[in-house]
């Protein structure tokens, strides 16, 4: 079983749609949670950290359920520029942040 | 300034060559990382440096040799690589170990091709 699991997609959605990605993790000692975005042939870029109380940043909302070891990302009013791969990242501290990446979910927003 | 700078951006090397990848950050981060990413796969951790000391080596072959000359710099020395080592090599940094919620910031990567 992978430590961090995501549906690889692709999710093909029209502009303006709402789309949700889920992620599950197996290490109950995980302490920090993030969503990164990666464009083709580019580096991963931090989209948002995920807090226990849930957090929102504009059109993006992230939720964490520690009991179920589950993280979600909701994108409202999708834009063409949201097309990318979204990486769920889980970390625990062990001589540095041990980031474990999910396999990524590919999103394609169509006109 | 949340920037991690990597050089070179592209590198083609032969299997008998020796080359080095360089990474620099000036955010005061004390943890630095090397990741390897193959096409359509997530990044895979290679090494972690914490306070300039190698703290994690994820069973990486010895043809990859990391070095941390100071708190801002991280190098990856390459020698006798194989074609299957061709990949995007990503450097990242984050704040001190033990600080929960410390995000990692990535450089643009070095796209390495071994011929």
């Amino acid at each position: 079983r992978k430590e961090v699991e995501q549906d690889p997609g692709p999710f093909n959605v029209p502009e303006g749609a709402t789309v949700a990605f889920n992620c599950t993790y197996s290490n109950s000692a995980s302490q920090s949670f993030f969503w990164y975005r990666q464009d083709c042939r580019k580096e991963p870029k931090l989209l948002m950290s995920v807090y226990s109380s849930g957090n929102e940043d504009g059109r993006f909302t992230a939720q964490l359920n520690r009991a179920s070891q589950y993280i979600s990302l909701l994108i409202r009013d999708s834009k063409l520029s949201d097309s990318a791969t979204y990486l769920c990242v889980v970390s625990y501290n062990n001589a540095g942040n041990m980031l474990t990446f999910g396999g990524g979910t590919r999103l394609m927003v169509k006109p | 300034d949340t920037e991690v700078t990597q050089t070179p951006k592209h590198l083609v090397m032969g299997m008998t060559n020796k080359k080095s990848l360089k990474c620099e950050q000036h955010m005061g981060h004390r943890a630095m990382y090397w990741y390897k990413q193959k096409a359509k796969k997530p990044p895979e951790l290679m090494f972690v440096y914490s306070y300039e000391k190698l703290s994690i080596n994820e069973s990486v072959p010895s043809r990859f040799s990391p070095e941390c000359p100071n708190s801002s710099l991280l190098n990856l020395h390459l020698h006798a690589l194989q074609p299957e080592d061709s990949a995007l090599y990503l450097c990242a940094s984050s704040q001190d170990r033990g600080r929960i919620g410390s995000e990692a910031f990535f450089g643009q990567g070095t796209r390495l091709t071994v011929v």
Side-chain angles (χ1 to χ4, degrees):
Chain A
R1 184 187 170 193
K2 292 181 184 174
E3 285 194 55
V4 181
E5 294 211 55
Q6 294 181 250
D7 181 343
F11 284 58
N12 293 299
V13 302
E15 268 188 293
T18 295
V19 61
F21 306 139
N22 301 322
C23 167
T24 56
Y25 62 95
S26 59
N27 185 351
S28 58
S30 300
Q31 297 163 305
S32 302
F33 309 89
F34 309 97
W35 284 101
Y36 279 75
R37 169 200 170 123
Q38 187 169 27
D39 292 283
C40 188
R41 300 180 71 82
K42 300 284 190 181
E43 78 276 21
K45 291 190 176 175
L46 179 69
L47 180 65
M48 58 198 304
S49 302
V50 187
Y51 305 121
S52 297
S53 54
N55 48 302
E56 187 174 313
D57 183 0
R59 298 182 292 108
F60 300 85
T61 301
Q63 299 276 355
L64 167 63
N65 184 323
R66 284 187 187 269
S68 302
Q69 295 184 195
Y70 167 98
I71 305 155
S72 65
L73 177 68
L74 183 77
I75 305 176
R76 289 181 298 279
D77 190 21
S78 300
K79 311 289 184 194
L80 295 176
S81 57
D82 294 333
S83 298
T85 296
Y86 290 82
L87 296 160
C88 174
V89 182
V90 170
S91 82
Y92 65 93
N93 283 314
N94 177 16
N97 272 309
M98 291 296 296
L99 299 181
T100 301
F101 285 79
T105 298
R106 190 158 174 233
L107 172 66
M108 303 281 291
V109 181
K110 308 279 188 177
Chain B
D1 181 14
T2 54
E3 190 172 287
V4 178
T5 304
Q6 286 187 246
T7 56
K9 287 189 169 41
H10 300 273
L11 178 62
V12 179
M13 61 185 289
M15 290 188 282
T16 57
N17 291 159
K18 284 185 182 181
K19 297 286 184 185
S20 296
L21 309 185
K22 297 186 184 301
C23 175
E24 189 168 2
Q25 57 88 13
H26 295 289
M27 294 178 277
H29 289 171
R30 304 310 297 267
M32 294 185 76
Y33 312 80
W34 281 114
Y35 283 84
K36 173 182 177 179
Q37 187 175 24
K38 302 282 270 184
K40 299 189 189 303
K41 299 286 188 183
E44 294 178 5
L45 182 65
M46 300 174 72
F47 302 104
V48 180
Y49 270 83
S50 180
Y51 290 85
E52 298 152 54
K53 291 190 182 348
L54 181 65
S55 56
I56 295 171
N57 175 341
E58 291 284 280
S59 304
V60 179
S62 60
R63 58 186 184 270
F64 296 91
S65 174
E67 178 199 17
C68 189
N70 60 53
S71 59
S72 300
L73 294 174
L74 186 66
N75 298 324
L76 185 63
H77 303 297
L78 314 173
H79 173 55
L81 295 193
Q82 304 296 311
E84 59 264 28
D85 295 322
S86 299
L88 180 67
Y89 287 83
L90 293 160
C91 174
S93 71
S94 69
Q95 288 180 348
D96 312 25
R97 68 176 176 174
R99 186 178 293 200
I100 294 173
S102 176
E103 302 91 348
F105 296 93
F106 285 83
Q108 290 182 316
T110 294
R111 192 160 298 279
L112 174 67
T113 304
V114 182
V115 297

